[in-house]
Amino acid sequence: MTSRVQEVIRRYEASAAVLRHGVEIFAVGDPAGARLNAAVRRLIYTADENGSDIWGDLLRAANALRWRRMTQPQPGDRNQALIEAARAVRREARLLAGAVADDALLEEVSRAAEDVRETDSPVGHELRRSIEEADPAICAVVASSNPARAGLQDWLETLAVPVVLPGELGGLSDAIEQLYVVGPPIFFPSSVVTAPATEEVAFLLPSWFGHRSLPTSRLAMQADGAMKVQAKERVVGDVTEPESPVPGDEPTEDIYYPQPTWRGRTSGDREPGADEAEAWKVLLAGQLAIWLDDGDRIRTLDPRQPAGERVTYAAVDAVAQGTYLVLRDGATERGAMYEAALRRMGTRADNIVVTQRAWKAALTRQLAVRSASACIRELRAQGVRSAARVRAWIEPTLISPKHEQDLVLLLEWLGLPVEPTHRNAMELRRAVYQATADLREELEDAVSRADLAALEREGYMRLAIAREGFRSMVVARVHARSPYTEIVARQQTRVPFGDRSSEWLE
């Protein structure tokens, strides 16, 4: 309790200090980045004017390069992500040569990308200079994303300066007095300013990014005496920029942030068939994606947890940008765990398989006679809490509804004797839990030997374990989750597949 109270007191003191002294904004001249920004803005304007997606791949690569110039300002020899984006810009520009009319634009974008690749970011130079001047022992750096944090950590390792995400500011040591936030204020939550972790806060951004206003709380407009922090701008270096290439104001932050392109649901309003499922498309690092069904949970990894506690499960609803999923390459984990559980049960397995097949066959017949929505209504009337998942229950390796009582009520609704089906299902579930726990231990061991810094930097890695059927496991960070579901074959769910649309997301 004392530590919590002390943290609250510290935050109030920091807020009062920031309110008195304001927040510094270092607008650092970056001629190479300014040239790239001008070229990308012209590219966006041209693509919008043409109403064609022919520019799409080049635009996404160029936008990613611009984003990384802002948020990952470490030198080029420590910035593989920026180098890869610059190469991709030049590659995509070459592919468009002859296919579009504006060759001059292609040349300008390509040259701007090369300039950025060859020129270290002045923002990075100013960040390191400021830390060394202030004393690294009292400084911390706030990064915009996991990849940005990993790159900055590697670069600043010799200074022993902590690099954190905005949500981790509460864990900073009391010795930290100065925060350096890498990127424009608008890219960060308002709490960085309105509930600061330190009494000194400074943002560092390239001068060509024009939006420099500080973020405010959503409640500030309705609150009397709301906290209004003043910004003190400091211009550093050569801030000359190319003449604005397109009409209108500078775009908002949404244009800068690499985002997925969702093209809308194609499945229509029909209900899924017996072997189909509603699933969200989830884009992953490593140019991968999965179809995520509405199951209860999925295996995840948290590289920030201590050894032995990194591999766990997350609710499907909680899978969001930044989550690390642990997936079986080429197949779902569920089927392999089911088979492992049956092997563990020996001679009892045959009888259990018979009863499992019997109730699933009966449910399949009901779904064929009635619509799924009608079955859901009837089951809910019977008190089945998870009735909405009725279509998923016919999948062979899904043992039973999540709630034990739901299985009892379902069997009664189907007109089947509760025993021995209920008892067999619970025995099979316990065997699956044990097989899952064994796999978790092997995964924890593999993770303890893996390069987790590389995982945070790249967002993707493979785990090699000895267990049959699991020798190729994939860990991949979630980049984005579709806002709508599609109907897909159930056997396709949770199986990673290649998808280039995730290439430039963070």
Side-chain angles (χ1 to χ4, degrees):
M1 178 64 72
T2 303
S3 62
R4 177 61 181 159
V5 170
Q6 288 174 341
E7 171 62 18
V8 172
I9 292 172
R10 180 187 174 196
R11 285 296 181 105
Y12 271 109
E13 291 174 344
S15 296
V18 167
L19 194 57
R20 284 195 308 271
H21 305 305
V23 167
E24 287 192 301
I25 296 180
F26 291 81
V28 184
D30 175 19
R35 180 182 183 183
L36 175 68
N37 181 52
V40 174
R41 289 189 61 192
R42 183 180 162 195
L43 183 59
I44 293 171
Y45 178 79
T46 301
D48 288 344
E49 284 290 293
N50 292 342
S52 170
D53 194 44
I54 193 171
W55 298 93
D57 289 339
L58 174 60
L59 179 55
R60 283 185 281 273
N63 201 43
L65 177 60
R66 181 175 60 169
W67 174 259
R68 291 172 185 183
R69 183 70 168 188
M70 280 192 289
T71 60
Q72 302 184 46
Q74 60 269 29
D77 61 350
R78 309 296 288 272
N79 203 335
Q80 189 61 34
L82 183 139
I83 291 172
E84 289 173 359
R87 288 173 177 165
V89 170
R90 291 174 62 82
R91 181 186 68 242
E92 297 298 338
R94 285 195 301 270
L95 291 174
L96 283 179
V100 297
D102 200 340
D103 286 337
L105 176 55
L106 294 179
E107 181 65 19
E108 176 57 22
V109 172
S110 185
R111 286 185 176 180
E114 189 64 13
D115 280 355
V116 164
R117 188 185 70 83
E118 294 179 345
T119 309
D120 289 344
S121 169
V123 174
H125 173 78
E126 181 62 25
L127 172 63
R128 191 163 189 121
R129 186 202 64 78
S130 298
I131 291 172
E132 291 173 342
E133 184 180 88
D135 181 3
I138 64 168
C139 296
V141 173
V142 183
S144 61
S145 65
N146 275 300
R149 174 174 61 182
L152 289 167
Q153 275 180 327
D154 180 62
W155 175 47
L156 298 173
E157 184 179 15
T158 56
L159 298 180
V161 174
V163 182
V164 298
L165 298 177
E168 300 167 343
L169 289 170
L172 288 176
S173 162
D174 291 345
I176 303 300
E177 301 175 11
Q178 172 74 60
L179 281 186
Y180 290 105
V181 188
V182 182
I186 201 167
F187 290 167
F188 293 86
S190 60
S191 58
V192 174
V193 172
T194 58
T198 61
E199 296 185 4
E200 301 285 342
V201 179
F203 289 86
L204 294 96
L205 65 151
S207 62
W208 47 262
F209 188 89
H211 290 286
R212 299 173 192 169
S213 58
L214 296 175
T216 57
S217 168
R218 294 180 181 178
L219 302 178
M221 297 298 292
Q222 288 78 35
D224 292 330
M227 184 176 178
K228 296 180 180 179
V229 179
Q230 299 299 313
K232 300 183 294 184
E233 287 193 21
R234 292 177 56 184
V235 177
V236 181
D238 180 2
V239 296
T240 57
E241 297 184 27
E243 186 176 340
S244 178
V246 296
D249 296 330
E250 184 174 347
T252 63
E253 71 276 13
D254 290 344
I255 297 299
Y256 289 90
Y257 190 78
Q259 298 184 61
T261 301
W262 305 115
R263 303 189 184 280
R265 180 179 165 102
T266 61
S267 301
D269 296 328
R270 70 179 181 86
E271 288 190 350
D275 295 325
E276 295 179 322
E278 295 270 4
W280 294 269
K281 189 176 184 181
V282 176
L283 302 180
L284 305 170
Q287 298 186 41
L288 295 174
I290 62 166
W291 291 107
L292 180 63
D293 61 7
D294 62 349
D296 296 321
R297 61 181 191 167
I298 188 168
R299 196 185 293 276
T300 60
L301 183 146
D302 186 346
R304 293 271 152 175
Q305 292 301 313
E309 300 177 20
R310 295 179 178 127
V311 180
T312 183
Y313 280 96
V316 165
D317 289 344
V319 172
Q321 183 183 16
T323 304
Y324 288 89
L325 300 183
V326 183
L327 304 165
R328 187 180 175 212
D329 197 8
T332 64
E333 178 184 318
R334 183 185 297 146
M337 290 293 94
Y338 185 90
E339 294 299 325
L342 290 178
R343 288 194 297 271
R344 178 184 293 272
M345 300 176 76
T347 56
R348 289 275 300 127
D350 289 343
N351 182 51
I352 289 174
V353 168
V354 168
T355 55
Q356 285 290 105
R357 287 176 177 171
W359 75 261
K360 288 176 182 288
L363 180 56
T364 301
R365 289 192 294 272
Q366 290 297 325
L367 287 169
V369 173
R370 300 174 169 89
S371 67
S373 56
C375 290
I376 290 171
R377 285 195 301 271
E378 292 184 27
L379 287 168
R380 281 176 174 164
Q382 295 293 318
V384 177
R385 286 181 285 176
S386 52
R389 300 206 63 226
V390 64
R391 285 187 295 260
W393 294 339
I394 64 174
E395 203 275 320
T397 61
L398 197 156
I399 297 168
S400 72
K402 177 181 179 181
H403 305 289
E404 186 174 343
Q405 184 61 22
D406 280 357
L407 177 60
V408 172
L409 295 172
L410 172 65
L411 291 170
E412 292 174 347
W413 179 75
L414 290 170
L416 298 175
V418 172
E419 301 299 350
T421 300
H422 164 262
R423 181 172 60 251
N424 285 347
M426 294 305 103
E427 185 177 347
L428 179 57
R429 176 184 284 181
R430 286 191 294 271
V432 168
Y433 283 163
Q434 186 57 57
T436 301
D438 292 344
L439 175 61
R440 179 185 176 278
E441 290 183 7
E442 294 184 48
L443 287 170
E444 285 283 4
D445 180 63
V447 169
S448 69
R449 293 180 273 108
D451 185 352
L452 296 182
L455 172 63
E456 291 201 77
R457 185 171 60 252
E458 306 295 335
Y460 167 86
M461 73 176 182
R462 290 186 176 274
L463 291 175
I465 60 176
R467 177 184 290 255
E468 183 69 31
F470 287 88
R471 289 177 180 165
S472 181
M473 299 289 286
V474 172
V475 181
R477 184 170 58 235
V478 172
H479 284 328
R481 174 173 172 165
S482 62
Y484 53 83
T485 61
E486 291 283 4
I487 297 175
V488 300
R490 188 167 294 280
Q491 65 182 11
Q492 293 180 324
T493 60
R494 305 197 182 199
V495 180
F497 59 90
D499 192 308
R500 277 196 64 197
S501 58
S502 66
E503 184 175 10
W504 299 116
L505 303 181
E506 289 192 4

